Amino acid sequence: DSGVTQTPKHLITATGQRVTLRCSPRSGDLSVYWYQQSLDQGLQFLIQYYNGEERAKGNILERFSAQQFPDLHSELNLSSLELGDSALYFCASSDGSLYGYTFGSGTRLTVV
Amino acid sequence: EDQVTQSPEALRLQEGESSSLNCSYTVSGLRGLFWYRQDPGKGPEFLFTLYSAGEEKEKERLKATLTKKESFLHITAPKPEDSATYLCAVQAGGSQGNLIFGKGTKLSVKP
């Protein structure tokens, strides 16, 4: 157990729908990162939050949004889903050091 | 543009047959280079962080090295349980901490 918890593990939904993925960071970590992993693209950075505030954005679509709550858990919202959004979505948390970058076990999203 | 290229894409070894995986990178101000292991359907598992050229780190049958342009992950006398995808990532000096990943090398070790 890495200490980073992601729910749900699997999600199947239809095109056009909206889903929410949840991440609880490792205890004490203030930074949360979201990544998308598809078969042909590898791991792509989406967005980072630090102590409730957005810190950096990567290749995140406008249909996607995220937030981090006062208890430091984070949610990634995906809307108007398309078939191409099917992927593994990972959350990672960090204590700011170069040793403390830890990934969760991911949410597998399938859009049908 | 910051980028990471890993080679080969896939590698098949016999148990006990040592080899190396390559990670070439272009980054503006390297803060750290990371190696992760990823099993199918699982999250990346941290292996090493390297900071500066010339640095080496070892863990069991794995040894990671770093130069100014590339990193190598050497696998000595691999076992079937070493089969996984190995991911290389860099953190740029000007970033807020996000990692830039290569596409990985899928390693298969046959008994």
Side-chain angles (χ1 to χ4, degrees), chain A:
Chain A
D1 182 9
S2 68
V4 178
T5 304
Q6 289 189 247
T7 57
K9 292 191 182 303
H10 303 278
L11 201 48
I12 301 175
T13 190
T15 54
Q17 295 298 304
R18 173 189 170 96
V19 297
T20 297
L21 312 184
R22 182 188 169 103
C23 170
S24 293
R26 203 174 48 167
S27 178
D29 288 355
L30 299 180
S31 283
V32 170
Y33 304 81
W34 286 97
Y35 288 82
Q36 179 192 58
Q37 186 176 40
S38 55
L39 281 175
D40 57 342
Q41 289 296 319
L43 271 160
Q44 298 283 315
F45 169 65
L46 296 178
I47 195 164
Q48 178 206 358
Y49 277 82
Y50 177 84
N51 202 21
E53 294 189 1
E54 181 185 304
R55 272 289 178 91
K57 268 188 174 180
N59 301 320
I60 189 166
L61 299 172
E62 286 191 8
R63 300 183 285 109
F64 297 179
S65 64
Q67 53 185 327
Q68 187 179 27
F69 295 86
D71 67 353
L72 300 178
H73 91 271
S74 178
E75 294 181 356
L76 179 67
N77 302 295
L78 315 176
S79 61
S80 303
L81 285 167
E82 302 175 358
L83 295 178
D85 297 327
S86 296
L88 274 165
Y89 290 84
F90 288 103
C91 166
S93 74
S94 169
D95 62 2
S97 76
L98 290 179
Y99 294 104
Y101 208 104
T102 305
F103 281 83
S105 57
T107 294
R108 180 176 293 280
L109 173 66
T110 303
V111 183
V112 297

Side-chain angles (χ1 to χ4, degrees), chain B residues 17 19 21 24-25 30 37 47-48 51 56-58 66 81 87 90-91 94 97:
Chain B
E17 179 187 4
S19 188
L21 282 55
S24 298
Y25 64 91
L30 179 71
R37 169 192 170 126
L47 293 174
F48 304 108
Y51 301 99
E56 298 182 353
K57 289 195 176 173
E58 288 188 66
L66 180 65
E81 53 262 42
L87 300 171
V90 297
Q91 190 177 82

